[in-house]
Every structure is written in C-alpha cells, then in structure tokens.
Amino acid sequence: MAKIIGVKFKNTAKVYYFSPANEKDKYQIGSGVIVETAKGLEYATVVFDVKEVSDSEIVHPLKPVIRKATEKDEKKVKENQEKIPEAMAYALEKIKEQELAMKLVGAEYSFDGKKLTYYFSADNRIDFRELVKVLAQKFHLRIELRQIGIRDETKLLGGIAPCGRTCCCAGTIQDFGKVTIKMAKNQGLHLNPGKISGLCGRLMCCLEYENDYYEKACKKV
C-alpha cells in the first residue's frame, strides 16, 4: 500500500497521484500545492486528501509534494495568469504578420515563469521557427509551441455541450477513448451528425462511457 494525494493541473479533469510531503499532513480540497514534475516545479490543486491505495494503482516512483502553496506561490500563479492576454495578443499579431496557417488556442506560463507554452491547431505541419525566435526576443523566456488536435482544443477551451452541461472533455473525462458510430446505434440515437457530435465536430465523448450500460441493457431485451 502507498499513501497518496490526488491533484489536478490548471483546468484539466485528469487526476494525478503524488506522494505527500509528510504523511501526517492534511490537505484541504481545493487548496494549492507545489509538486515536482518532469517539467520542474508546478502548481496544482488538491482533489482529495491523503489516502492509501494498492501499489497496482500507481506508477512508481511517485513524485513528491514539495509543500503546500504559500501566499507568495498563489501570488506568482495569479501574476502568470494575468500576463497571458498580452502573450496571446502579441503572438496573434506575429502569426498574422508571418501569414502562418495556424489557430492559436491558448497559452500558459510555467510556475517559475521561465517558460511560455503556446497551444495551436493547424491542418498541416507548420514551420514556426521564426515565430519562436520573435516570441523569445519579446518575452526573454523559453518558448514552446505545441500543436494539438481538435478534441484537445475543445478540452482546453471548454464550453457547454448540447446536454447543457460542461463538455465532458473539459469537466469529467480524464483520457479520450475511442468513440464509434456503433455506440450511437447501441443507444438507439438518430444518426444525425448534428445530434451526436460535440462542439469539436467529432462524435460526443459521452457515447463511449455510456456504451457499456447500453450494451448490457440491449442483451437483456
């Protein structure tokens, strides 16, 4: 058995496990913590307090919680967030100047403020080397441009799904599953693309995680 806490990064739905700094510590749900990741120190939000899980549920070695977020940490996160509109506006201006066929979706600063990551979507491969150079000269930071797919774009931006709730990809689904038209048929839905597609234009994610129930129900009929 191992003791863990669960955290989320930014506005993602996926929960990550970390080893508590001190097993006797209590972590308030919704509070901030600083954790060690492959990218360095990052800020995360507590989803659940310390609990024990079997070793089969985790991937060793667990990265540790460095500390509970301090007022200084919270201030730094807020300052990073406040700088994003300027970073987006400047990048959009340069993308237009360079006539790059890409859609800028979002941007984020690393916790330490030393790296600025941009997320974009595009139909084809983009040569953005000159753009990276210009952005680095402007912000004096390490710049990373990351191309994402249309489902990831909707996950990042969020929105309200046809059911009236937050999009599954942005609110509940931790990892994208394979969604097929057969799943819609299992549920007896009309195969109208406008009725079974999400904001991303792809088949709705909820078709996949509801499918097991409908398959079992159909066998009983």
Side-chain angles (χ1 to χ4, degrees):
M1 301 290 285
K3 289 190 175 182
I4 62 166
I5 71 164
V7 306
K8 289 184 180 180
F9 294 98
K10 301 179 175 66
N11 295 321
T12 61
K14 188 167 185 176
V15 177
Y16 293 85
Y17 295 163
F18 283 83
S19 174
N22 187 325
E23 294 184 356
K24 294 181 180 180
D25 282 349
K26 294 294 182 181
Y27 296 87
Q28 184 177 351
I29 295 174
S31 64
V33 289
I34 307 303
V35 297
E36 182 184 332
T37 73
K39 300 176 183 178
L41 297 185
E42 290 291 345
Y43 177 92
T45 303
V46 176
V47 177
F48 59 77
D49 195 5
V50 179
K51 70 176 184 180
E52 285 192 338
V53 297
S54 64
D55 290 333
S56 61
E57 294 184 53
I58 60 177
V59 177
H60 288 286
L62 278 177
K63 292 286 187 178
V65 173
I66 301 301
R67 63 177 181 273
K68 295 180 181 180
T70 63
E71 287 187 15
K72 184 177 180 181
D73 294 328
E74 299 286 357
K75 182 180 178 181
K76 183 183 293 187
V77 171
K78 184 179 179 180
E79 289 174 347
N80 287 341
Q81 192 67 26
E82 290 173 346
K83 291 187 292 185
I84 289 177
E86 179 190 359
M88 286 288 288
Y90 186 78
L92 286 168
E93 177 187 332
K94 296 306 172 184
I95 288 171
K96 186 176 181 180
E97 284 182 7
Q98 297 181 23
E99 299 181 343
L100 297 174
M102 57 192 290
K103 177 184 177 182
L104 193 62
V105 178
E108 66 178 13
Y109 282 85
S110 60
F111 172 68
D112 61 13
K114 295 180 180 180
K115 185 175 78 169
L116 175 56
T117 301
Y118 287 97
Y119 299 92
F120 73 94
S121 60
D123 294 331
N124 302 298
R125 188 178 180 86
I126 303 294
D127 183 355
F128 48 69
R129 288 174 293 182
E130 185 60 30
L131 177 62
V132 170
K133 188 184 301 182
V134 170
L135 294 173
Q137 289 174 346
K138 167 68 174 178
F139 297 108
H140 304 290
L141 300 171
R142 178 186 169 193
I143 303 295
E144 180 180 343
L145 265 71
R146 189 175 300 174
Q147 186 169 354
I148 60 176
I150 190 168
R151 294 177 80 188
D152 288 299
E153 179 181 340
T154 303
K155 180 177 182 177
L156 187 64
L157 295 175
I160 303 300
C163 64
R165 297 175 62 89
T166 301
C167 289
C168 296
C169 59
T172 57
I173 289 181
Q174 297 195 24
D175 296 297
F176 288 121
K178 184 179 180 180
V179 188
T180 67
I181 197 70
K182 182 182 178 182
M183 295 174 180
K185 293 179 179 178
N186 288 342
Q187 298 182 34
L189 300 175
H190 292 292
L191 304 184
N192 180 335
K195 297 293 186 181
I196 59 176
S197 299
L199 299 186
C200 62
R202 303 289 178 84
L203 291 171
M204 293 188 294
C205 294
C206 57
L207 296 176
E208 188 268 334
Y209 69 74
E210 292 177 347
N211 189 58
D212 285 346
Y213 167 79
Y214 280 96
E215 281 190 333
K216 292 175 183 178
C218 287
K219 290 178 181 178
K220 294 180 179 179
V221 175

